Amino acid sequence: MILKPAKIHLLDPGPLDPASNMALDEVLLESEGWWLRLTRWDRPCVTLGRFQSWPQNSSDESFPQIHPFISSQFVSATHTFPTSSSSDETESLPAVRRVTGGGSILHGEDLTIAIAGPCPSPLFPDRSPGKVATQISQVLGGLLSPGIHTRGGEDREKEMVDVVDCFQRRSPSDLVMEIDGETVKAGGLALAFRPGRVLIEGSLHRGPASRPVEEDRSWMELLMQEWLGTEGEMAEKWQTDLEDEQADRVFEAVENRFGTVEWNRR
Amino acid sequence: MSEVPADRFYLSSHEWAQEGDDGVVTIGITEFAASELGELVYIELPGEGEDVQFEQQFGEIESVKAVSALNSPISGQVIESNASLLDSQEPITDSPFDEGWMLKIKPADDSWKDQLMNPADYESQLNNS
């Protein structure tokens, strides 16, 4: 069955807390139509992959690595996961579990995006996760700064599954660039498939300098135009408020899952 | 071309169901689905005594940074879950119709086959996808 994306919704609800951000992505995964979302954070945080184990202590390599694109100011405060339910989260980074796979990601200065839509469709000729991720990565790489490209090559995700930090793992769909002779990961994707739907969450490091939100929106519009070609229609305006039903479902998902210890600390 | 055994029934989302002599139905995912998913790293399955519903999610499987829903081809009660898959998912890839089975289910009713595709129809779906 071929589905034609008739319209792409553009959503930028502004900075949200970590649990609400991840709950909203799941709501979009379960909604109808295509959604392109700019995800902004009201505080620095860490997101964990769907099946990652909660780090058992706070003093070893289980921490996400400090990425070279992330400014020292950003991580000058204590850079730890909370390790028990009684931890003072003001002294550590809050962490929330995603519905997508992969490793943990430090958010705050990255550009975080989410795309949700029907699957299969012309954009996803099959549901092979590796092919979908590489396809999206190639589009992103073409729009980002010169020198950033899709890694390609051998898939080492399985052998690196115990590496906590997404940006230390190696996948063909990674966005990478060369810095001082080293290949550095500049962006990563994670996916979730539900019956007839796919959610793609992406984190892209473009440097510590803050940019006006209009710049991010313009960049994402370019992404959609590049991806859709002349096939799809993009919404003319960015939606900044959630529909009432969406807001109710986000609230419910935070209460029942994304805001709970049971969900986040498996 | 992916193998499509003739001794079981199929869901369009690439799960299979096979009836045993005792009426218990074993379910798993097809060779096509396993090959499309790629290397598997995690799986979550329901435990004994839990109910599953036709075409509803019964578990999740992760591959290449993607988490995919597993849909049940039958309604009924789980009487056994393949716990060995929690430690190693390789049987799903290497032997999806045998050692890679996921659940054994006591059907909620006898009409479960009516809702599924026969092997010829499923093979036709694969050829047209």
Side-chain angles (χ1 to χ4, degrees), chain A residues 50 102 158 189 191 193 266, chain B residues 40 44 60 62 65 67 69:
Chain A
R50 173 69 180 87
K158 185 178 176 71
L189 303 170
L191 303 89
F193 291 88
R266 57 176 294 139
Chain B
L40 306 175
E44 188 168 81
E60 290 180 298
E62 179 170 344
K65 302 192 292 187
V67 175

Side-chain angles (χ1 to χ4, degrees), chain A residues 9-62:
Chain A
H9 302 276
L10 301 172
L11 180 62
D12 176 11
L16 299 177
D17 64 87
S20 296
N21 266 333
M22 294 299 93
L24 177 54
D25 279 359
E26 187 183 53
V27 167
L28 297 181
L29 171 60
E30 296 176 343
S31 298
E32 293 184 353
W34 280 96
W35 295 84
L36 174 62
R37 184 201 168 190
L38 177 57
T39 305
R40 291 192 278 139
W41 309 89
D42 70 352
R43 73 202 75 172
C45 72
V46 172
T47 61
L48 300 168
R50 173 69 180 87
F51 288 109
Q52 273 194 291
S53 297
W54 184 263
Q56 295 301 305
N57 60 66
S58 58
S59 61
D60 62 16
E61 66 279 5
S62 62

Side-chain angles (χ1 to χ4, degrees), chain A residues 188-251:
Chain A
L189 303 170
L191 303 89
F193 291 88
R194 299 272 172 89
R197 302 279 300 175
V198 64
L199 168 69
I200 302 153
E201 293 174 322
S203 171
L204 308 165
H205 288 301
R206 296 198 295 175
S210 61
R211 297 173 307 278
V213 68
E214 290 76 14
E215 186 177 323
D216 284 338
R217 288 183 180 180
S218 298
W219 183 84
M220 291 173 69
E221 290 168 11
L222 280 175
L223 163 65
M224 268 294 118
Q225 287 166 357
E226 172 77 13
W227 194 21
L228 294 173
T230 57
E231 294 294 313
E233 173 193 350
M234 195 158 47
E236 292 182 1
K237 292 184 179 179
W238 284 81
Q239 179 182 329
T240 55
D241 294 321
L242 299 182
E243 296 162 4
D244 288 344
E245 185 196 356
Q246 286 177 322
D248 290 344
R249 289 168 63 193
V250 167
F251 179 79

